Amino acid sequence: MAVQAASEQSTPLPGDAGVQLGPAAALSCRECGERLPLGPLFACAACFGPLEIAYDFPGGDPARLRERIEAGPDNIWRYAPLLPVPADVASKPNINPGFTKLVKADRLARELGVTGSLHIKDDSGNPTHSFKDRVVAIAVEAARAFGFTTLSCSSTGNLAGAVGAAAARAGLRSCVFIPHDLEQGKVVMAAVYGGDLVGIEGTYDDVNRFCSELIGDPIGEGWGFVNVNLRPYYAEGSKTLAYEICEQLGWELPDQLVVPIASGSQLTKIDKGLKELVALGLVEDKPYKIFGAQAEGCSPVSRAFKDGHDVVRPVRPDTIAKSLAIGNPADGPYVLDIARRTGGAVEDVTDAQIVDAIKLLARTEGVFAETAGGVTVGVTRKLIEEGRLDPSLTTVVLNTGDGLKTLDAVAPTTGPSAVIRPNLDSFREAGLAS
Amino acid sequence: MAVQAASEQSTPLPGDAGVQLGPAAALSCRECGERLPLGPLFACAACFGPLEIAYDFPGGDPARLRERIEAGPDNIWRYAPLLPVPADVASKPNINPGFTKLVKADRLARELGVTGSLHIKDDSGNPTHSFKDRVVAIAVEAARAFGFTTLSCSSTGNLAGAVGAAAARAGLRSCVFIPHDLEQGKVVMAAVYGGDLVGIEGTYDDVNRFCSELIGDPIGEGWGFVNVNLRPYYAEGSKTLAYEICEQLGWELPDQLVVPIASGSQLTKIDKGLKELVALGLVEDKPYKIFGAQAEGCSPVSRAFKDGHDVVRPVRPDTIAKSLAIGNPADGPYVLDIARRTGGAVEDVTDAQIVDAIKLLARTEGVFAETAGGVTVGVTRKLIEEGRLDPSLTTVVLNTGDGLKTLDAVAPTTGPSAVIRPNLDSFREAGLAS
């Protein structure tokens, strides 16, 4: 995807001055530290590094802030004081994602030999059933602040639905771009919210290139691409996973987290969120380890971790875990850094292990995960078996999506125990009458 | 389905004595008022009428009870003092359904000409994405209390998944019966939780007859069929919809509710729940109207309402709203009674109107409803257009399931706005560059 730097912007930035996004103070380059005013930018004018949000957080008594959060709504807006959103965000029409269940997974723990406490952070409970609702909800607020009237993205699945739903509820136009040959189910999920959906004759890479072209063209004025020119805001949505996990653990850091890797952004923002909670005094500082999880068929970060490299070599994805199938993950180097710094690791599992893990989680905890959840549970199992994840500690495993969206992954191996005639003899013969 | 009365029970009832299910005091016949001790029974020994739960509710200050509820967990167990469940229910492994979003639907309201406040109670946010999680969760507690070790049901869809998930998490065996020729997607959703799933060579009626036979046979000892021998407990789960709606409205009764009708049980229990809140002093009494919603292709209760009959004549269902397709609704007469007593109505909409309503709700509020939600939204629109639902009042419309489960309903009419080549000229030609 072409990088559009601040200095290249030819038209005046909407909302450059006077943008009110709560504690967000500026954009800051993750590479060189350059600061820029808040605007719809994603790359540093000086070094082309990725921009992220710099905050002026409220000072004061952490106990008061905790109380304020706990008295807030049952969604991500309870953390509005820590997010790049206006203070009155909860009163605006929004799909209100977040505060999803942290499932204490005692039966799974027993199967995996975990003697500490094991939890599944289950983001299938979000409005469109994936963590994408979190990031899109933040992008909507940025789009409003910058005066954008069309919400857009390129997508192959979860993101299209999340953008369509969020735009519908916010009263924004949406125009989403997808490869033209997506499965009908995914097309329906993306189109049902009534925004424009445009099929592009080409691959997902072609879709991305086209979107970059559109942003640079006058046609794209007034368009907010959630994961391009709104990316610094959008990405912050993943911090809320860290906030919720700690609050749901009773305002404590977990010892170990297992997080899926697609672009790697989510993992880096979870780490950022944990560090913010410590800095604000909302949780007590202690060491924690972050483990990244990939599918073997798209494991460039895992490969680099194992090889001891700092650079991630792109791959061509070939896995059932399509929501993680990014062959050239932008935040890969940052993920490597975090895994190494915290004493975690990056590991991968095969497609067969992903399917097994989906079924294991469903059978033990009644949680039907997307393939990405199969990746994290599968990697957790592997790390425990290899003695690299401590089974006596508190571990949180992320499930970022819903099994209903990836039925094909388990369908070939999931069916009835028996087919019988409607009588007791036939049932007895089936051997299930215990 | 054969009625099994209390006196026919040949083996000793498990848990007959000393069953502790919170405020549940006895089983009571809805027809003759006969009282029986709590047990796995569903029909009156005296008159074969349906049994329901009679309660000894806590007395005392309503404000204290409200506080206790508000301090409870973010799921149906916050209402444990009003449900047939043990006091410590929230600490047991359970899928913890409920406390789903009450969406203030301002954009939908504008489209429908509603000047009062319009809300969607969106039960797609439950763990397996339908209201069935509520009723099954209560049935699990009854199964535990009666010492049952297998959780079972007959199902064609939503219920099978809810039973599979709840049993998995509770550590109970499950054995669910379905017609052998269900679509693969539904089979996968029912089977993935690892319980036994049995395909029956026959229709759904054959499946039901077989289940009744099984309950009467020694094989069925220790089996809890959630919607047969646990039905009185199971059905109470629907009361929680009424509780949540009132609490989410700030402890006020709505003026008007639009509720889907399958067996009619949900509507009668919502009415029961509202009356309980008034009796306990948790909300102030005022008149409310309950409207029932059916699909034209399965509208026996709507037909009886319009004809002024007290009796519901069975029909053969033919509608896309499969989760409502019960041609002989057991609680039909009670529904008629409630609609007439409260000044509501029962109305139906065509399959085309259902699809339109699903899209309307998605487009205005970002909520993708199951066909049952299309039925309630469609009926709401029809009632407003005909001047039978007051647009100046507070109205709550139920969406009891998730559009992801009934994609086929909207697929034929939901697709891309355009398919283009990946360049700006092609995009301009499509006329979407506004």
Side-chain angles (χ1 to χ4, degrees), chain A residues 74-75 93 95-99 101 103-107 124-129 150 164-173 175 177-178 180 184-189 191-202 206-207 210 213-214 217 219 221 223 358-359 362-368 402 404-405 407-408 410-412 414-424 427-428 431-434, chain B residues 74-75 93 95-99 101 103-107 124-129 150 164-173 175 177-178 180 184-189 191-202 206-207 210 213-214 217 219 221 223 358-359 362-368 402 404-405 407-408 410-412 414-424 427-428 431-434:
Chain A
D74 294 333
N75 54 52
I95 52 170
N96 299 329
F99 222 57
K101 291 184 199 299
V103 176
K104 187 141 189 299
D106 291 344
R107 298 185 70 238
S124 67
N126 275 318
T128 73
H129 307 318
T150 297
R169 185 141 169 79
L172 294 170
R173 181 196 176 211
C175 187
F177 299 92
I178 58 172
H180 74 294
Q184 194 193 29
K186 289 191 176 167
V187 173
V188 171
M189 285 187 248
V192 74
Y193 300 102
D196 283 316
L197 180 73
V198 178
I200 300 276
E201 291 172 355
D206 292 324
V207 178
F210 171 74
E213 207 182 337
L214 192 52
D217 191 88
I219 298 178
E221 271 177 51
W223 287 49
I358 291 174
K359 292 184 183 176
R363 173 168 63 76
T364 52
E365 301 298 339
V367 173
F368 183 22
D402 200 295
L404 277 181
K405 294 194 178 183
L407 283 176
D408 289 348
V410 293
T414 305
S417 321
V419 175
I420 64 167
R421 294 181 306 283
N423 63 62
L424 293 173
F427 185 57
R428 274 189 207 96
L432 300 170
S434 65
Chain B
D74 294 333
N75 55 51
I95 53 169
N96 300 328
F99 221 57
K101 291 184 200 299
V103 177
K104 185 140 189 300
D106 291 344
R107 299 185 73 236
S124 67
N126 275 316
T128 72
H129 307 317
T150 297
R169 185 140 169 80
L172 293 170
R173 181 196 176 210
C175 186
F177 298 92
I178 57 171
H180 73 295
Q184 194 194 29
K186 289 189 177 169
V187 173
V188 171
M189 285 187 249
V192 74
Y193 300 102
D196 283 316
L197 180 73
V198 178
I200 299 276
E201 290 172 356
D206 293 323
V207 178
F210 170 74
E213 207 183 335
L214 192 52
D217 190 89
I219 298 178
E221 271 178 50
W223 287 48
I358 291 173
K359 291 184 184 178
R363 175 168 61 78
T364 52
E365 302 298 341
V367 172
F368 184 22
D402 200 294
L404 276 181
K405 292 193 178 183
L407 282 176
D408 289 349
V410 292
T414 305
S417 321
V419 175
I420 65 168
R421 294 181 306 285
N423 62 62
L424 293 171
F427 185 56
R428 277 191 204 94
L432 300 170
S434 65

Side-chain angles (χ1 to χ4, degrees), chain A residues 217-292:
Chain A
D217 191 88
I219 298 178
E221 271 177 51
W223 287 49
F225 282 77
V226 299
N227 52 351
V228 188
N229 57 350
L230 297 176
R231 188 168 186 88
Y233 310 89
Y234 166 91
E236 294 293 286
S238 290
K239 289 195 315 181
T240 58
L241 280 161
Y243 299 158
E244 292 178 16
I245 287 167
C246 291
E247 182 178 351
Q248 290 170 322
L249 288 174
W251 294 106
E252 281 201 14
L253 292 170
D255 299 308
Q256 303 171 129
L257 286 116
V258 184
V259 181
I261 299 171
S263 73
S265 168
Q266 184 183 71
L267 189 147
T268 66
K269 294 302 177 182
I270 286 174
D271 180 58
K272 188 182 181 194
L274 297 176
K275 287 194 287 186
E276 285 173 354
L277 294 184
V278 171
L280 288 161
L282 291 171
V283 298
E284 218 170 292
D285 197 9
K286 71 171 184 180
Y288 58 83
K289 295 181 181 185
I290 300 188
F291 297 85

Side-chain angles (χ1 to χ4, degrees), chain B residues 80-244:
Chain B
L82 311 180
L83 295 171
V85 295
D88 64 346
V89 61
S91 66
K92 299 185 186 182
N94 195 294
I95 53 169
N96 300 328
F99 221 57
T100 55
K101 291 184 200 299
L102 185 71
V103 177
K104 185 140 189 300
D106 291 344
R107 299 185 73 236
L108 177 63
R110 277 198 291 278
E111 295 243 1
L112 297 181
V114 170
T115 54
S117 71
L118 181 65
H119 306 259
I120 303 293
K121 179 62 176 172
D122 185 15
D123 248 14
S124 67
N126 275 316
T128 72
H129 307 317
S130 90
F131 92 98
K132 293 288 185 190
D133 290 324
R134 297 176 183 272
V135 287
V136 170
I138 308 278
V140 164
E141 296 311 315
R144 282 172 163 150
F146 300 138
F148 289 146
T149 49
T150 297
L151 204 65
S152 186
C153 70
S154 54
S155 172
T156 62
N158 283 334
L159 185 57
V163 166
R169 185 140 169 80
L172 293 170
R173 181 196 176 210
S174 70
C175 186
V176 167
F177 298 92
I178 57 171
H180 73 295
D181 55 357
L182 280 194
E183 305 93 297
Q184 194 194 29
K186 289 189 177 169
V187 173
V188 171
M189 285 187 249
V192 74
Y193 300 102
D196 283 316
L197 180 73
V198 178
I200 299 276
E201 290 172 356
T203 66
Y204 182 60
D205 285 339
D206 293 323
V207 178
N208 270 326
R209 268 190 295 272
F210 170 74
C211 288
S212 294
E213 207 183 335
L214 192 52
I215 292 173
D217 190 89
I219 298 178
E221 271 178 50
W223 287 48
F225 281 78
V226 298
N227 53 351
V228 189
N229 57 348
L230 298 177
R231 189 168 186 86
Y233 309 89
Y234 167 90
E236 294 294 286
S238 289
K239 290 196 312 182
T240 58
L241 280 161
Y243 300 158
E244 291 179 17

Side-chain angles (χ1 to χ4, degrees), chain A residues 353-375:
Chain A
Q353 289 171 320
I354 294 169
V355 172
D356 279 353
I358 291 174
K359 292 184 183 176
L360 172 65
L361 181 61
R363 173 168 63 76
T364 52
E365 301 298 339
V367 173
F368 183 22
E370 211 215 280
T371 42
V375 170

Side-chain angles (χ1 to χ4, degrees), chain A residues 13-26:
Chain A
L13 293 176
D16 237 349
V19 168
Q20 293 295 328
L21 287 171

